[in-house]
Amino acid sequence: MTQAEVLSELNDGEELEEMPSLEHGAIGIRLGRYLDAYVEEQGLGLVCNSQTTYKFIGQRPNRLPDLSFVCQERLPKRIDQNADFAPDLTVEVLSK
């Protein structure tokens, strides 16, 4: 992502614009590393990064949680497509 690009999400109906900081990215990748290692070791499902979009009921379809998890039982047969469902877990790293 270039500095000119701005991520946009909705929070309580208001559009947020955010430029993730170094700290934001470092926290997200650290949490992802720990969660992914545990999920893989236990064979629980799939951990995804902030580039994965989901469709949440009552929300616009493009939500971008910093980190997400989908349990094995809910994974579609083909994972090379957009998720038309909400994940089992989302993690949002809060910025200042």
Side-chain angles (χ1 to χ4, degrees), residues 31-45 47 69:
L31 289 172
R33 186 175 72 221
Y34 293 138
L35 181 59
D36 188 55
Y38 180 79
V39 166
E40 185 175 359
E41 179 181 293
Q42 301 295 317
L44 299 175
V47 176
F69 164 76

PDB file of all heavy atoms in Angstrom, residues 31-45 47 69:
ATOM      1  N   LEU A  31       0.125 -10.957  16.535  1.00  0.00           N
ATOM      2  CA  LEU A  31      -1.074 -11.712  16.914  1.00  0.00           C
ATOM      3  C   LEU A  31      -1.371 -12.804  15.892  1.00  0.00           C
ATOM      4  O   LEU A  31      -1.707 -13.933  16.253  1.00  0.00           O
ATOM      5  CB  LEU A  31      -2.277 -10.773  17.033  1.00  0.00           C
ATOM      6  CG  LEU A  31      -2.292  -9.818  18.214  1.00  0.00           C
ATOM      7  CD1 LEU A  31      -3.443  -8.825  18.071  1.00  0.00           C
ATOM      8  CD2 LEU A  31      -2.395 -10.582  19.516  1.00  0.00           C
ATOM      9  N   GLY A  32      -1.228 -12.460  14.615  1.00  0.00           N
ATOM     10  CA  GLY A  32      -1.473 -13.424  13.555  1.00  0.00           C
ATOM     11  C   GLY A  32      -0.527 -14.609  13.606  1.00  0.00           C
ATOM     12  O   GLY A  32      -0.929 -15.754  13.395  1.00  0.00           O
ATOM     13  N   ARG A  33       0.726 -14.328  13.900  1.00  0.00           N
ATOM     14  CA  ARG A  33       1.726 -15.402  13.988  1.00  0.00           C
ATOM     15  C   ARG A  33       1.368 -16.390  15.095  1.00  0.00           C
ATOM     16  O   ARG A  33       1.388 -17.601  14.887  1.00  0.00           O
ATOM     17  CB  ARG A  33       3.111 -14.792  14.240  1.00  0.00           C
ATOM     18  CG  ARG A  33       4.229 -15.802  14.212  1.00  0.00           C
ATOM     19  CD  ARG A  33       5.584 -15.142  14.354  1.00  0.00           C
ATOM     20  NE  ARG A  33       5.749 -14.678  15.719  1.00  0.00           N
ATOM     21  CZ  ARG A  33       6.292 -13.510  16.053  1.00  0.00           C
ATOM     22  NH1 ARG A  33       6.712 -12.675  15.144  1.00  0.00           N
ATOM     23  NH2 ARG A  33       6.417 -13.168  17.319  1.00  0.00           N
ATOM     24  N   TYR A  34       1.009 -15.875  16.257  1.00  0.00           N
ATOM     25  CA  TYR A  34       0.657 -16.748  17.379  1.00  0.00           C
ATOM     26  C   TYR A  34      -0.632 -17.518  17.112  1.00  0.00           C
ATOM     27  O   TYR A  34      -0.717 -18.719  17.353  1.00  0.00           O
ATOM     28  CB  TYR A  34       0.510 -15.953  18.677  1.00  0.00           C
ATOM     29  CG  TYR A  34       1.802 -15.353  19.184  1.00  0.00           C
ATOM     30  CD1 TYR A  34       1.827 -14.059  19.687  1.00  0.00           C
ATOM     31  CD2 TYR A  34       2.994 -16.076  19.168  1.00  0.00           C
ATOM     32  CE1 TYR A  34       3.003 -13.504  20.166  1.00  0.00           C
ATOM     33  CE2 TYR A  34       4.172 -15.523  19.644  1.00  0.00           C
ATOM     34  CZ  TYR A  34       4.174 -14.240  20.137  1.00  0.00           C
ATOM     35  OH  TYR A  34       5.330 -13.687  20.607  1.00  0.00           O
ATOM     36  N   LEU A  35      -1.649 -16.814  16.605  1.00  0.00           N
ATOM     37  CA  LEU A  35      -2.933 -17.467  16.345  1.00  0.00           C
ATOM     38  C   LEU A  35      -2.790 -18.519  15.251  1.00  0.00           C
ATOM     39  O   LEU A  35      -3.299 -19.633  15.377  1.00  0.00           O
ATOM     40  CB  LEU A  35      -3.993 -16.437  15.963  1.00  0.00           C
ATOM     41  CG  LEU A  35      -5.391 -16.983  15.685  1.00  0.00           C
ATOM     42  CD1 LEU A  35      -5.954 -17.713  16.899  1.00  0.00           C
ATOM     43  CD2 LEU A  35      -6.324 -15.852  15.265  1.00  0.00           C
ATOM     44  N   ASP A  36      -2.077 -18.196  14.177  1.00  0.00           N
ATOM     45  CA  ASP A  36      -1.917 -19.138  13.073  1.00  0.00           C
ATOM     46  C   ASP A  36      -1.159 -20.393  13.514  1.00  0.00           C
ATOM     47  O   ASP A  36      -1.521 -21.504  13.132  1.00  0.00           O
ATOM     48  CB  ASP A  36      -1.203 -18.470  11.902  1.00  0.00           C
ATOM     49  CG  ASP A  36      -1.192 -19.353  10.674  1.00  0.00           C
ATOM     50  OD1 ASP A  36      -2.275 -19.778  10.234  1.00  0.00           O
ATOM     51  OD2 ASP A  36      -0.087 -19.624  10.157  1.00  0.00           O
ATOM     52  N   ALA A  37      -0.126 -20.224  14.321  1.00  0.00           N
ATOM     53  CA  ALA A  37       0.636 -21.386  14.801  1.00  0.00           C
ATOM     54  C   ALA A  37      -0.259 -22.321  15.606  1.00  0.00           C
ATOM     55  O   ALA A  37      -0.228 -23.542  15.423  1.00  0.00           O
ATOM     56  CB  ALA A  37       1.827 -20.931  15.637  1.00  0.00           C
ATOM     57  N   TYR A  38      -1.084 -21.750  16.486  1.00  0.00           N
ATOM     58  CA  TYR A  38      -1.984 -22.564  17.309  1.00  0.00           C
ATOM     59  C   TYR A  38      -3.034 -23.264  16.450  1.00  0.00           C
ATOM     60  O   TYR A  38      -3.280 -24.463  16.596  1.00  0.00           O
ATOM     61  CB  TYR A  38      -2.654 -21.695  18.378  1.00  0.00           C
ATOM     62  CG  TYR A  38      -3.598 -22.479  19.248  1.00  0.00           C
ATOM     63  CD1 TYR A  38      -3.111 -23.284  20.280  1.00  0.00           C
ATOM     64  CD2 TYR A  38      -4.969 -22.438  19.029  1.00  0.00           C
ATOM     65  CE1 TYR A  38      -3.973 -24.027  21.076  1.00  0.00           C
ATOM     66  CE2 TYR A  38      -5.836 -23.172  19.822  1.00  0.00           C
ATOM     67  CZ  TYR A  38      -5.328 -23.969  20.837  1.00  0.00           C
ATOM     68  OH  TYR A  38      -6.183 -24.702  21.622  1.00  0.00           O
ATOM     69  N   VAL A  39      -3.665 -22.506  15.546  1.00  0.00           N
ATOM     70  CA  VAL A  39      -4.712 -23.061  14.686  1.00  0.00           C
ATOM     71  C   VAL A  39      -4.159 -24.177  13.806  1.00  0.00           C
ATOM     72  O   VAL A  39      -4.780 -25.233  13.657  1.00  0.00           O
ATOM     73  CB  VAL A  39      -5.357 -21.937  13.834  1.00  0.00           C
ATOM     74  CG1 VAL A  39      -6.189 -22.502  12.697  1.00  0.00           C
ATOM     75  CG2 VAL A  39      -6.212 -21.042  14.725  1.00  0.00           C
ATOM     76  N   GLU A  40      -2.976 -23.981  13.243  1.00  0.00           N
ATOM     77  CA  GLU A  40      -2.380 -25.014  12.391  1.00  0.00           C
ATOM     78  C   GLU A  40      -2.019 -26.255  13.195  1.00  0.00           C
ATOM     79  O   GLU A  40      -2.289 -27.381  12.776  1.00  0.00           O
ATOM     80  CB  GLU A  40      -1.135 -24.469  11.686  1.00  0.00           C
ATOM     81  CG  GLU A  40      -0.542 -25.450  10.705  1.00  0.00           C
ATOM     82  CD  GLU A  40       0.607 -24.867   9.915  1.00  0.00           C
ATOM     83  OE1 GLU A  40       0.951 -23.689  10.102  1.00  0.00           O
ATOM     84  OE2 GLU A  40       1.172 -25.614   9.112  1.00  0.00           O
ATOM     85  N   GLU A  41      -1.428 -26.054  14.368  1.00  0.00           N
ATOM     86  CA  GLU A  41      -1.043 -27.183  15.230  1.00  0.00           C
ATOM     87  C   GLU A  41      -2.247 -28.036  15.621  1.00  0.00           C
ATOM     88  O   GLU A  41      -2.174 -29.260  15.673  1.00  0.00           O
ATOM     89  CB  GLU A  41      -0.355 -26.640  16.486  1.00  0.00           C
ATOM     90  CG  GLU A  41       0.080 -27.687  17.467  1.00  0.00           C
ATOM     91  CD  GLU A  41       0.721 -27.049  18.686  1.00  0.00           C
ATOM     92  OE1 GLU A  41       1.809 -26.458  18.539  1.00  0.00           O
ATOM     93  OE2 GLU A  41       0.114 -27.123  19.775  1.00  0.00           O
ATOM     94  N   GLN A  42      -3.375 -27.381  15.868  1.00  0.00           N
ATOM     95  CA  GLN A  42      -4.587 -28.074  16.308  1.00  0.00           C
ATOM     96  C   GLN A  42      -5.492 -28.500  15.145  1.00  0.00           C
ATOM     97  O   GLN A  42      -6.488 -29.186  15.363  1.00  0.00           O
ATOM     98  CB  GLN A  42      -5.386 -27.177  17.256  1.00  0.00           C
ATOM     99  CG  GLN A  42      -4.627 -26.742  18.492  1.00  0.00           C
ATOM    100  CD  GLN A  42      -4.286 -27.905  19.398  1.00  0.00           C
ATOM    101  OE1 GLN A  42      -5.103 -28.780  19.628  1.00  0.00           O
ATOM    102  NE2 GLN A  42      -3.069 -27.917  19.919  1.00  0.00           N
ATOM    103  N   GLY A  43      -5.173 -28.068  13.921  1.00  0.00           N
ATOM    104  CA  GLY A  43      -6.007 -28.384  12.761  1.00  0.00           C
ATOM    105  C   GLY A  43      -7.399 -27.776  12.849  1.00  0.00           C
ATOM    106  O   GLY A  43      -8.383 -28.416  12.476  1.00  0.00           O
ATOM    107  N   LEU A  44      -7.477 -26.527  13.320  1.00  0.00           N
ATOM    108  CA  LEU A  44      -8.775 -25.913  13.611  1.00  0.00           C
ATOM    109  C   LEU A  44      -9.423 -25.184  12.445  1.00  0.00           C
ATOM    110  O   LEU A  44     -10.637 -24.976  12.449  1.00  0.00           O
ATOM    111  CB  LEU A  44      -8.626 -24.936  14.781  1.00  0.00           C
ATOM    112  CG  LEU A  44      -8.164 -25.558  16.096  1.00  0.00           C
ATOM    113  CD1 LEU A  44      -7.940 -24.486  17.140  1.00  0.00           C
ATOM    114  CD2 LEU A  44      -9.186 -26.586  16.564  1.00  0.00           C
ATOM    115  N   GLY A  45      -8.644 -24.732  11.479  1.00  0.00           N
ATOM    116  CA  GLY A  45      -9.243 -23.973  10.386  1.00  0.00           C
ATOM    117  C   GLY A  45      -8.227 -23.096   9.696  1.00  0.00           C
ATOM    118  O   GLY A  45      -7.080 -23.504   9.470  1.00  0.00           O
ATOM    119  N   VAL A  47      -6.551 -19.006   9.371  1.00  0.00           N
ATOM    120  CA  VAL A  47      -6.353 -17.643   9.853  1.00  0.00           C
ATOM    121  C   VAL A  47      -6.014 -16.779   8.647  1.00  0.00           C
ATOM    122  O   VAL A  47      -5.204 -17.168   7.810  1.00  0.00           O
ATOM    123  CB  VAL A  47      -5.208 -17.577  10.899  1.00  0.00           C
ATOM    124  CG1 VAL A  47      -4.934 -16.141  11.318  1.00  0.00           C
ATOM    125  CG2 VAL A  47      -5.551 -18.434  12.109  1.00  0.00           C
ATOM    126  N   PHE A  69     -10.435 -15.525  11.673  1.00  0.00           N
ATOM    127  CA  PHE A  69     -10.339 -16.983  11.760  1.00  0.00           C
ATOM    128  C   PHE A  69     -11.660 -17.590  11.318  1.00  0.00           C
ATOM    129  O   PHE A  69     -12.732 -17.111  11.700  1.00  0.00           O
ATOM    130  CB  PHE A  69     -10.035 -17.408  13.202  1.00  0.00           C
ATOM    131  CG  PHE A  69     -10.295 -18.864  13.469  1.00  0.00           C
ATOM    132  CD1 PHE A  69      -9.413 -19.833  13.022  1.00  0.00           C
ATOM    133  CD2 PHE A  69     -11.426 -19.266  14.156  1.00  0.00           C
ATOM    134  CE1 PHE A  69      -9.658 -21.188  13.260  1.00  0.00           C
ATOM    135  CE2 PHE A  69     -11.679 -20.602  14.407  1.00  0.00           C
ATOM    136  CZ  PHE A  69     -10.793 -21.559  13.944  1.00  0.00           C
TER     137      PHE A  69
END
